[in-house]
Amino acid sequence: MAITRTTTTTRHDRLATFLRVSIVLQTAALFFQAVTAGMLLSSSLGGVLHDVGSRVMYGASMLYVLAAVLAWRPGGRSPRPILYSSGFLVLASVQVVLGIAHVPSVHVPLGILMFGLSLLALGRTVAPHLPRRSTDARA
């Protein structure tokens, strides 16, 4: 039974959407972590929320790896998103270890770096769908 082009395109679109959603979730979880890190200084609830958020962020990083692998397999696309997502998972693992060990001098800057990298990954995923501006200087 042959798969039609429409079915393949629809599956590819769904997987690309899944990849975008996983990056959005990861970025939102990292932002939540930044907010709750600030709450740690002023509230006991901040510690609980930061702990719960760390688990969500780690799960979002694993989901990003899964989405990248699934988006790559069917269409023969570049494996680069798999490398990015795997890198995030490694950083998330280091972040969890540093948080448990209470090493804020590395934990905080690494969290900021991860949020910035996640924003870049999100922009890279969303940007191809935005209209491009002309770079012609004569216009």
Side-chain angles (χ1 to χ4, degrees):
M1 181 174 164
I3 296 177
T4 64
R5 185 174 179 91
T6 305
T7 305
T8 304
T9 302
T10 303
R11 177 189 285 167
H12 181 64
D13 291 343
R14 285 186 197 150
L15 291 173
T17 300
F18 180 45
L19 182 62
R20 275 187 232 110
V21 167
S22 68
I23 295 172
V24 167
L25 178 63
Q26 175 182 277
T27 305
L30 286 164
F31 181 73
F32 180 78
Q33 286 302 92
V35 171
T36 59
M39 290 175 62
L40 279 169
L41 302 173
S42 62
S43 165
S44 61
L45 181 61
V48 173
L49 290 174
H50 196 69
D51 183 49
V52 170
S54 69
R55 296 165 202 273
V56 172
M57 183 275 303
Y58 197 75
S61 295
M62 288 190 283
L63 184 68
Y64 181 25
V65 172
L66 176 66
V69 169
L70 290 175
W72 168 71
R73 282 189 71 200
R77 289 182 148 198
S78 169
R80 188 170 289 172
I82 297 171
L83 295 174
Y84 293 153
S85 63
S86 298
F88 272 110
L89 188 58
V90 168
L91 289 176
S93 299
V94 170
Q95 191 69 332
V96 168
V97 169
L98 290 170
I100 291 171
H102 299 287
V103 185
S105 61
V106 182
H107 182 76
V108 172
L110 182 58
I112 294 167
L113 175 68
M114 288 176 65
F115 181 65
L117 291 173
S118 192
L119 282 174
L120 286 173
L122 180 61
R124 183 176 289 131
T125 307
V126 174
H129 304 292
L130 296 176
R132 296 188 185 261
R133 290 191 296 177
S134 173
T135 57
D136 189 8
R138 294 176 284 169

